[in-house]
Amino acid sequence: MLTDPIAALATPPGRSALAVVRLAGVGAFEIADRVVRNFQVRPRLATLATFLDARGEPIDRGIYIVFPAPHSFSGDDTVEFSCHGGLTAPARLLAALHAAGARPAAPGEFTRRAVLNGRMDLLQAEAVGDLIDATATAQGRAAVAQLDGNLSRRIQQLRRQLLELEALLSYDIDFPGEDDGPVAPARLTEALAQAAAQTDRLLATAPAGERLREGALVVIAGRPNAGKSSLFNALLGTERALVTEIAGTTRDAIEAHLSFLDWPVRLVDTAGLRTTGDRIEAMGVEVSHRWLDAADLVLLCVEGGRELTPEERALEASHPVLLVRTKSDLVPEPEGVSAVTGEGLDQLRRRVAERLFGGQLALADLEPGLTRERHRTALATAQAELVAARPFLGRDGDATLASHHVRRAVLSLDELIGIVDIEEVLDRIFSTFCVGK
Ligand SMILES: Nc1nc2c(ncn2[C@@H]2O[C@H](COP(=O)(O)OP(=O)(O)OP(=O)(O)O)[C@@H](O)[C@H]2O)c(=O)[nH]1
Ligand SMILES: [Mg+2]
């Protein structure tokens, strides 16, 4: 049942000035009429009214706004209620709506309906989730751009290119020429090359786009006692990790989400790197190596005033490393940091943000990119199909086979945007949404 009436709290439960409850679906207005005293369908106008429970007892006085289909978020008949927040009013209002015939909404169901009703495509729906989950400003900005359809337009443009190529190929199939076909072979090759180049360009945006959406993985590493956990705590602003003068304090890796200059970072503190007879510490060191291999950037902590060891040099050569001179209050160093005085922390944040997101600092608003594995997989499929199509172009080629591959490339983009019937894709995407969204 894709149109039955659903209701949910759209704001988080708990103490707040206001709460928003959403009701949408066929019959939403009849249900609202049972809950709102003197309910009137006045499209998109705020109306003050008393909300009543099933026994006619007042719950609250609040505002409701009616959005007749299709001009609502989900595309269904919708009523949005603003009542007072806290634990009772929103819960009683919701209960009243459920008693009046609305079903509790499943996670992401409003947005899912928006996609099914053609109010937005899948990429935009994902952006709704990304915007809500964004913790750094840059993530929010990227999500708003995607919600605005920037990425969708870019994919649509590629899709049109492919459809044109397909049309040229059909023409070639329907009217095969003798020497020169009706379509100059060079034209086909050129059209394919352009679509392939566009696909490559989009795919190239994936690493940065995914890093922005998920947060860059920054791993603090170094020898025992280098000051890693102290740096972790100082950057976090709280004493999350244990700090002692005993070498080998940290065993388990500790992860925290934070932002550096509005850019999202997943910061990980790890066990100090050394060969050790202690079984537990050795396990910690092994875990450290796994984090190092996954890191977008390693903050290699080395106390000021000492040479790097051969192991530290090897790490610098094998991983994306930013050398951090620690304990600069004891031995001053250019660009050194001190967890004790806080010196150098801001500069470190800036250096990290520039290393990780430097390319996007300028491009962020211009270039919509792929932001998740689903996007990357779809484009990679399209890319592979275009590569497969190429040998079938030209005088000795086979336009039918070329066309088959181009079609599959188009289908891959269709699934990405949400043009085909894609219940299963929808299930996967919206299962991670929260209720009321
Ligand atoms: N003066 C000074 N001491 C520091 C600074 N950072 C850390 N220390 C001291 O150095 C010692 C080790 O600090 P930790 O942060 O536990 O070092 P670690 O690298 O996490 O060590 P392990 O977890 O054992 O690998 C502690 O005694 C800290 O107080 C600093 O910036 N200045
Ligand atoms: Mg530590």
Side-chain angles (χ1 to χ4, degrees), residues 223-230 232 241-244 246 248-252 254 269-272:
R223 289 171 53 78
N225 259 355
K228 300 180 297 298
S229 300
S230 303
F232 178 81
L242 294 179
V243 169
T244 74
I246 302 163
T249 302
T250 304
R251 273 93 193 274
D252 281 329
I254 308 178
D269 180 28
T270 61

Side-chain angles (χ1 to χ4, degrees), residues 57-95:
E57 192 187 313
I59 298 168
D60 193 3
R61 255 170 91 72
I63 301 288
Y64 69 90
I65 305 177
V66 175
F67 301 89
H71 302 290
S72 67
F73 173 75
S74 68
D76 294 332
D77 278 342
T78 297
V79 184
E80 279 188 15
F81 304 86
S82 298
C83 64
H84 290 102
L87 293 177
T88 58
R92 288 181 69 202
L93 175 57
L94 198 55

Side-chain angles (χ1 to χ4, degrees), residues 183-200:
V183 183
R187 202 171 152 201
L188 289 173
T189 322
E190 175 60 21
L192 179 68
Q194 277 185 12
Q198 183 64 14
T199 308
D200 293 349

Side-chain angles (χ1 to χ4, degrees), residues 210-408:
E210 287 177 42
R211 180 182 289 185
L212 177 57
R213 194 180 69 78
E214 290 162 12
L217 186 60
V218 176
V219 176
I220 303 181
R223 289 171 53 78
N225 259 355
K228 300 180 297 298
S229 300
S230 303
L231 177 64
F232 178 81
N233 289 340
L235 288 169
L236 216 61
T238 60
E239 305 299 313
R240 261 288 290 282
L242 294 179
V243 169
T244 74
E245 70 294 347
I246 302 163
T249 302
T250 304
R251 273 93 193 274
D252 281 329
I254 308 178
E255 184 178 349
H257 290 243
L258 59 169
S259 56
F260 285 180
L261 269 65
D262 295 338
W263 295 88
V265 165
R266 291 160 55 206
L267 191 66
V268 180
D269 180 28
T270 61
L273 299 168
R274 69 169 169 185
T275 322
T276 167
D278 183 307
R279 215 177 105 223
I280 300 170
E281 192 187 346
M283 286 166 79
V285 172
E286 204 186 306
V287 169
S288 298
H289 281 288
R290 282 211 294 277
W291 282 105
L292 284 174
D293 292 338
D296 291 310
L297 184 65
V298 176
L299 301 186
L300 175 58
C301 292
V302 178
E303 299 92 333
R306 79 160 166 82
E307 286 289 309
L308 267 62
T309 65
E311 290 78 26
E312 286 165 341
R313 295 221 173 277
L315 189 69
E316 249 191 336
S318 59
H319 291 75
V321 163
L322 185 69
L323 179 62
V324 180
R325 289 296 192 165
T326 55
K327 311 190 187 181
S328 66
D329 54 300
L330 301 180
V331 183
E333 284 259 6
E335 300 195 310
V337 302
S338 166
V340 172
T341 65
E343 183 199 352
L345 290 176
D346 277 341
Q347 291 90 315
L348 178 61
R349 289 190 182 95
R350 180 163 319 117
R351 281 163 72 201
V352 170
E354 274 165 12
R355 267 285 289 269
L356 290 167
F357 298 104
Q360 285 153 285
L361 294 175
L363 283 175
D365 298 328
L366 303 176
E367 213 188 25
L370 309 180
T371 59
R372 55 180 81 214
E373 194 190 341
R374 192 181 79 83
H375 306 169
R376 189 160 29 91
T377 311
L379 266 294
T381 303
Q383 185 186 48
E385 294 295 345
L386 295 183
V387 168
R390 195 168 300 140
F392 298 115
L393 293 184
R395 199 163 290 174
D396 305 321
D398 184 331
T400 311
L401 287 175
S403 177
H404 164 77
H405 286 296
V406 174
R407 175 98 297 256
R408 287 171 52 145

